[in-house]
Amino acid sequence: MINLAQYIRGSRYDFDEWAANGCEGWSYKDILPYFLKAEDIHIEELKSSKYHNMGGPMAVSGSRVTQLADLYMKAGQELGYNITDYNGGEQIGFNRMQLNTRKGVRESSAVAYLGRAGKKDNLDIAVNSFVTKVGFQGKTATGVYYIRNNRKYFVSAKKEVILSAGSVNTPQLLMLSGIGPKEHLEEMNIPAVADLPVGDNLQDHQAYALYSKINRSIGLTPTLMTSFWTFIEYQLFGSGPLTTSGIEGSAFINTDNTRQGKTYPDLQTSIFSAIFNLSLLNLNKNIKKDYEAWGENVDGFSFVIINTHPKSRGTVRLRSNDPFDHPILDPRYLQEQTDVDDLIAGIRVWEKYIETPTMKGLGCNVDDMRKSFCLQHEFRSDAYWECMIRCLAVTGYHICCTCKMGALDDPTAVLDPSLRVKGIKGLRVVDLSAFPNVTVGNTNTPTVMLAEKAADLIRGMDSVTHIRQKLPDDV
């Protein structure tokens, strides 16, 4: 999985809500041991925490590269927030970054679980292979069809077929195999094996980035990132600017203080020590020109706001019954006005943040976000910020929940709490499409947790009893 490598588990309230809504066995107390099992903490001040663990397959390291990393925290304190461990007992506050890196190298799930030396007798990887559908005998999954080197194959399953193709391709494969909304399958001329709401409930985070120039040359500019000495530092010592994705600060915020300690935060912020690279975005030519006027090597920072639980819901649908046709994604971003309102609430936090003594000392100015393409509205009004959001908000690349798990009597659920496809024998889904609802923050880490727990469900064992006995008292 390619992402910004931020290690975040979500909120304890996410998982307690899953359990309360029918996902028995998925409360925070149930799943925290699996987060700990997977973790190998390398941050000194967190090694003694009962919320962290050493020795797991996936390394977690800090991301303190520039002076800005400490200034972000200082400004957060000036705003009235504590500095917290967002994977610990209290999430609300400003936080130092935790990244899935080991000695400056990304620790992806592929590296952590498959990249270690040694023969794996229980694993056979077929590369250059394209799965086209699941095979069935009645209501029992028997194996999968796939194409390799332009030849068709079928591999049979002795016990179960496990789909781990992600939130887009897993629902596509299920629908191609006859598991999905009956009317849609009939439209695609696919015989229905099971009428289930596959491809519904698509959820994703939306992100909106605010920018400010700073008056000191301490940011991660393109010149610094590509310099010879930066490269040498990384190669010799595994340290320096190339060990980070640019993100050096974080915060989790409740815009309504009466909600604190009762539910998950409304907003996540990621603070980059650079002006966010707009060339990554497919922007309107005039909008892009307004930003490029700053020049490429401007020192500054980006304050990216993410609404943690958007209300908008989308779908995944087949384009045709040809497995090589990409499915149709309709995420319906910002369809619900509350999602825009949440982002505007985050902007109001940013406006106060850059007015703190620390940020003002860096020369930060709200006027840096005065852009011509939205000035038909009064600058800094709700209407102005909504215009900016609708022009510039982007996906968080956290698409999930398209094959949600839930109680057996939940008509919106595709899977039961053991990740088995309802009404089908021998078929499970093990990826983030199984989430009932999107979690707080980046989704890589909770996906690893889900896979660790799924391994125990499949094997019919409990591999984390020893960890469960050591959980913090307040879990």
Side-chain angles (χ1 to χ4, degrees), residues 212 270 317 339:
S212 179
S270 297
R317 291 291 183 262
D339 296 345

Side-chain angles (χ1 to χ4, degrees), residues 110-409:
V111 169
Y113 286 90
L114 300 179
R116 306 299 180 207
K119 184 179 179 182
K120 298 173 177 62
D121 294 329
N122 62 346
L123 179 67
D124 184 12
I125 299 175
V127 298
N128 302 319
S129 301
F130 187 88
V131 176
T132 57
K133 67 177 183 178
V134 179
F136 292 96
Q137 185 174 345
K139 298 282 188 177
T140 300
T142 56
V144 295
Y145 294 90
Y146 68 100
I147 296 172
R148 185 180 187 187
N149 299 326
N150 296 317
R151 293 189 62 182
K152 296 179 181 179
Y153 294 91
F154 178 79
V155 58
S156 60
K158 292 181 180 179
K159 294 184 178 180
E160 291 185 333
V161 173
I162 301 169
L163 291 182
S164 298
S167 289
V168 176
N169 292 117
T170 286
Q172 180 190 23
L173 277 171
L174 286 174
M175 288 187 283
L176 287 169
S177 307
I179 298 176
K182 187 176 180 181
E183 290 185 7
H184 179 58
L185 297 179
E186 289 173 349
E187 291 173 0
M188 298 293 110
N189 295 315
I190 297 173
V193 176
D195 181 11
L196 292 170
V198 172
D200 292 350
N201 194 46
L202 186 156
Q203 299 178 37
D204 189 11
H205 292 131
Q206 288 88 60
Y208 173 65
L210 296 138
Y211 316 93
S212 179
K213 297 182 288 246
I214 59 176
N215 56 17
R216 296 170 60 187
S217 298
I218 54 175
L220 296 171
T221 62
T223 296
L224 175 66
M225 297 297 285
T226 58
S227 78
F228 174 75
W229 293 113
T230 295
F231 175 76
I232 290 297
E233 180 181 6
Y234 181 72
Q235 291 294 318
L236 292 181
F237 307 110
S239 60
L242 292 181
T243 64
T244 177
S245 52
I247 183 171
E248 291 196 280
S250 176
F252 292 89
I253 295 167
N254 264 326
T255 55
D256 180 355
N257 289 333
T258 64
R259 290 163 48 90
Q260 190 159 334
K262 299 176 182 177
T263 187
Y264 36 68
D266 306 309
L267 299 169
Q268 173 192 6
T269 70
S270 297
I271 311 175
F272 291 78
S273 298
I275 303 296
F276 200 72
N277 187 357
L278 286 170
S279 65
L280 299 173
L281 310 180
N282 185 22
L283 292 179
N284 173 286
K285 181 172 64 177
N286 293 330
I287 292 175
K288 190 175 180 181
K289 183 179 179 181
D290 208 335
Y291 278 95
E292 288 178 339
W294 282 5
E296 188 179 50
N297 274 300
V298 173
D299 279 275
F301 79 101
S302 304
F303 193 92
V304 180
I305 301 167
I306 301 162
N307 51 348
T308 62
H309 289 85
K311 302 297 187 295
S312 301
R313 298 289 183 268
T315 59
V316 177
R317 291 291 183 262
L318 296 177
R319 192 175 301 274
S320 74
N321 59 15
D322 183 345
F324 289 95
D325 277 349
H326 296 304
I328 298 171
L329 271 67
D330 184 7
R332 300 173 187 167
Y333 293 131
L334 305 179
Q335 184 180 57
E336 297 291 334
Q337 183 62 34
T338 54
D339 296 345
V340 177
D341 295 342
D342 286 345
L343 291 173
I344 292 174
I347 292 170
R348 299 306 180 195
V349 174
W350 171 79
E351 288 176 326
K352 296 175 182 176
Y353 183 72
I354 66 170
E355 288 295 323
T356 59
T358 294
M359 291 292 108
K360 287 179 72 174
L362 286 170
C364 298
N365 195 323
V366 176
D367 285 346
D368 283 345
M369 290 303 299
R370 185 192 295 269
K371 301 300 174 185
S372 61
F373 50 85
C374 284
L375 283 178
Q376 68 271 29
H377 306 289
E378 181 185 354
F379 180 53
R380 296 180 66 175
S381 67
D382 283 358
Y384 176 84
W385 289 126
E386 179 167 352
C387 173
M388 293 288 282
I389 288 165
R390 292 194 180 278
C391 287
L392 293 167
V394 296
T395 171
Y397 294 99
H398 299 159
I399 291 177
C400 65
C401 313
T402 50
C403 300
K404 67 173 284 188
M405 65 172 161
L408 286 174
D409 61 354

Side-chain angles (χ1 to χ4, degrees), residues 67-129:
Q67 298 175 46
L68 286 170
D70 292 326
L71 295 176
Y72 298 146
M73 300 302 102
K74 184 179 180 182
Q77 289 176 309
E78 291 168 351
L79 200 59
Y81 289 93
N82 294 325
I83 298 176
T84 62
D85 167 14
Y86 56 72
N87 290 313
E90 177 55 63
Q91 192 168 53
I92 301 298
F94 275 68
N95 339 104
R96 299 193 185 279
M97 287 303 303
Q98 300 173 33
L99 300 180
N100 279 127
T101 57
R102 187 187 296 271
K103 296 181 180 179
V105 178
R106 175 189 293 272
E107 185 93 319
S108 69
S109 51
V111 169
Y113 286 90
L114 300 179
R116 306 299 180 207
K119 184 179 179 182
K120 298 173 177 62
D121 294 329
N122 62 346
L123 179 67
D124 184 12
I125 299 175
V127 298
N128 302 319
S129 301

